[in-house]
Amino acid sequence: MAVDVVIYHNPACGTSRNTLAMIRNAGIEPHVVEYLKTPPSRALLVELIDRAGITPRDLLREKGTPYAEFGLADVSLTDDALLDAMIAHPVLINRPLVVSPLGVRLCRPSEAVLNLLPEPQQGAFAKEDGEQVVDVSGQRIV
């Protein structure tokens, strides 16, 4: 049975690369959306935020973005204003966002994806920095 998983991915991001690798370690080949090249529509972004149970502010990325330059730390900004900023500048969308039959989640840290995968890990997995996340039997290391 094919499992439909989508990852909103930035290949320049280590967390995103680790998340993608864990999806593949479960034997799932996801639909990879490089959201900086193919940004989501406003309607899709709103839907993903709602399904993830977070707010637009929760999805805002600060590091390596024009977050400070645009004054996005201002708590008086509305959700619509934050969404407008993310649509205009997709680099402000935090990643990776993963959609699976088990839900939608911003996978930070990357091992958060393990709770979204309907298939078990097929073997050991270590992050790029060497941190072991899954043991040889496919079990998550706590």
Side-chain angles (χ1 to χ4, degrees):
M1 175 173 104
V3 177
D4 194 23
V5 173
V6 178
I7 179 171
Y8 291 87
H9 176 62
N10 179 348
C13 172
T15 301
S16 198
R17 290 190 306 270
N18 284 323
T19 301
L20 177 57
M22 279 186 265
I23 295 169
R24 289 178 170 154
N25 196 48
I28 299 167
E29 185 53 43
H31 300 279
V32 178
V33 178
E34 288 190 33
Y35 70 93
L36 295 177
K37 293 180 181 177
T38 309
S41 67
R42 183 186 183 92
L44 178 57
L45 189 60
V46 168
E47 178 185 334
L48 292 169
I49 289 168
D50 287 345
R51 289 180 62 198
I54 60 177
T55 67
R57 185 163 297 283
D58 294 332
L59 192 59
L60 265 179
R61 181 166 177 83
E62 295 178 38
K63 183 179 173 186
T65 73
Y67 177 90
E69 175 186 338
F70 294 162
L72 297 175
D74 181 349
V75 295
S76 71
L77 290 172
T78 65
D79 285 351
D80 281 335
L82 299 177
L83 286 164
D84 289 343
M86 286 187 272
I87 293 301
H89 305 278
V91 71
L92 289 165
I93 301 170
N94 213 342
R95 72 278 182 154
L97 200 57
V98 177
V99 180
S100 89
L102 300 179
V104 177
R105 185 162 184 184
L106 176 61
C107 292
R108 298 190 77 78
S110 56
E111 56 269 26
V113 75
L114 297 173
N115 297 325
L116 285 179
L117 300 177
E119 301 295 331
Q121 294 289 286
Q122 295 182 344
F125 182 83
K127 293 183 184 183
E128 291 179 358
D129 67 3
E131 179 186 352
Q132 195 72 32
V133 178
V134 177
D135 66 20
V136 293
S137 64
Q139 298 300 308
R140 185 175 183 166
I141 298 170
V142 182

